[in-house]
Amino acid sequence: MDYKSLVEEAVKAREFAYTPYSHFRVGAALVGKSGKIYHGCNVENAAYTPTNCAERTAFFKAVSEGEREFSAIAIVGGKEGELSPLVAPCGVCRQVMAEFCDGDFIIVLGTPEKYSVHKFSDLLPYSFSKKNLD
Ligand code: THU
């Protein structure tokens, strides 16, 4: 799948964002090495801290269905009714990526009209991962 189509999948995922508190809606489309796409949105909570980001929703859906290796993710977001030019993954989501992704995992950020393509190793250099525990 081309990157523009993957960003469009992230836009679709964003439709289900549950954001009664921040009104900031995020969507993610994660590609497993099997070729399957997992969609994720942010899911907020009245107690705030249980909120789950769109990226982690996509990863946890995938891992819970048996997929553990990934090639790319597209992320889109913005306040209700608009798409921001670029929404980068938070630190917690980057750490979840470090668990399952190599440095060459691709992260596509932006909008279907204008997006940029990043390598995970550029977004989280010197990461702590299971390799450190060997
Ligand atoms: N959010 C994400 O879903 N992904 C990110 O990478 C950044 C933040 C969500 C969490 C919360 O529901 C809202 O955006 C505002 O922080």
Side-chain angles (χ1 to χ4, degrees):
M1 169 176 276
D2 62 272
Y3 293 139
K4 182 179 167 64
S5 303
L6 192 61
V7 177
E8 286 167 348
E9 291 299 315
V11 171
K12 282 188 210 163
R14 182 173 176 259
E15 284 170 24
F16 298 111
Y18 176 75
T19 57
Y21 308 106
S22 75
H23 305 285
F24 191 85
R25 302 165 67 82
V26 184
L30 174 65
V31 190
K33 291 252 169 105
S34 69
K36 194 169 166 189
I37 295 177
Y38 300 88
H39 297 87
C41 62
N42 50 337
V43 181
E44 297 188 342
N45 188 281
Y48 293 6
T49 51
T51 291
N52 208 53
C53 290
E55 300 90 321
R56 274 177 289 141
T57 302
F59 269 95
F60 296 156
K61 279 175 72 179
V63 173
S64 68
E65 291 177 27
E67 185 105 43
R68 290 187 180 174
E69 292 186 295
F70 303 96
S71 48
I73 191 170
I75 304 160
V76 301
K79 278 275 183 189
E80 246 157 41
E82 56 189 72
L83 264 192
S84 299
L86 189 147
V87 171
C90 79
V92 174
C93 289
R94 292 180 202 208
Q95 186 60 34
V96 169
M97 290 174 192
E99 188 67 26
F100 297 105
C101 303
D102 298 330
D104 58 2
F105 177 69
I106 294 292
I107 300 170
V108 187
L109 305 174
T111 68
E113 289 69 43
K114 190 165 189 242
Y115 54 83
S116 51
V117 180
H118 308 264
K119 270 172 57 177
F120 179 56
S121 55
D122 292 329
L123 265 63
L124 189 61
Y126 303 103
S127 66
F128 183 86
S129 73
K130 51 184 178 283
K131 291 190 201 94
N132 297 98
L133 302 177
D134 284 344

